[in-house]
Amino acid sequence: MESNSSPSSSSVDATDARAALRLVAEAKARAASRAVAPWWLHAGLGVVFTVAFASMSFRGIIGSTGFPLAMAAAVGLFHALRVRTGLSFDRYTATPGTRRLSLIWLAGLLVISVSGMVLEWGFAVRWSLVVAGVLIGLMTVVLSPAIDRALRRESGAA
């Protein structure tokens, strides 16, 4: 297949290339600064996890509806975040630092939640899942902003 363009029309001079790279860097920095979540996401996720796990200790209507309502609240939080920032991406795996912190959070979630479930359901230690929920909520409130800091640092917004 032949091209109708001459060799000189497809070349770009160094000044144009530097200008294009500068525009890309500026756009990347603008997107990265908008990607950082507001404080209410971190606090809201902490509450969501606390309610989700703590509700498993309760009997009756609270116990059976707490977890689904908490998950619906989490979906609402992420929708509000997407609307506010105008961006949609997986902030928890976007960079190597966010992946590392997210894996630390996930490991903590698994250890704390399994421990709480074994104590509550296996050994009948009442309110173990309430304690687990509070610990997971606190861990979320601490690690979620750290994930945002890593995202900002590694994506060029720092």
Side-chain angles (χ1 to χ4, degrees):
M1 190 172 241
E2 294 182 31
S3 172
N4 292 335
S5 64
S6 67
S8 62
S9 68
S10 65
S11 65
V12 176
D13 69 358
T15 305
D16 290 340
R18 280 191 291 277
L21 287 172
R22 188 176 58 252
L23 289 173
V24 167
E26 290 169 2
K28 181 180 174 185
R30 274 193 313 275
S33 67
R34 287 180 38 211
V36 175
W39 69 269
W40 49 260
L41 178 73
H42 311 304
L45 287 175
V47 170
V48 161
F49 281 107
T50 299
V51 169
F53 283 93
S55 69
M56 289 186 239
S57 278
F58 293 100
R59 308 288 186 249
I61 192 74
I62 294 173
S64 62
T65 59
F67 191 86
L69 289 175
M71 293 305 101
V75 169
L77 282 170
F78 283 110
H79 176 72
L81 176 66
R82 194 171 30 257
V83 168
R84 183 174 191 268
T85 63
L87 299 173
S88 179
F89 67 100
D90 186 358
R91 67 183 45 259
Y92 302 102
T93 61
T95 67
T98 61
R99 278 190 295 277
R100 186 174 44 259
L101 289 169
S102 295
L103 286 173
I104 290 168
W105 179 86
L106 182 60
L109 171 80
L110 290 173
V111 167
I112 295 168
S113 62
V114 168
S115 298
M117 289 175 190
V118 167
L119 288 171
E120 180 97 16
W121 298 328
F123 294 102
V125 178
R126 195 83 168 109
W127 310 115
S128 296
L129 282 167
V130 171
V131 173
V134 169
L135 291 174
I136 291 167
L138 290 172
M139 180 181 64
T140 301
V141 168
V142 170
L143 282 179
S144 189
I147 290 169
D148 260 5
R149 286 189 298 275
L151 175 65
R152 177 171 236 162
R153 183 178 56 251
E154 292 176 6
S155 63

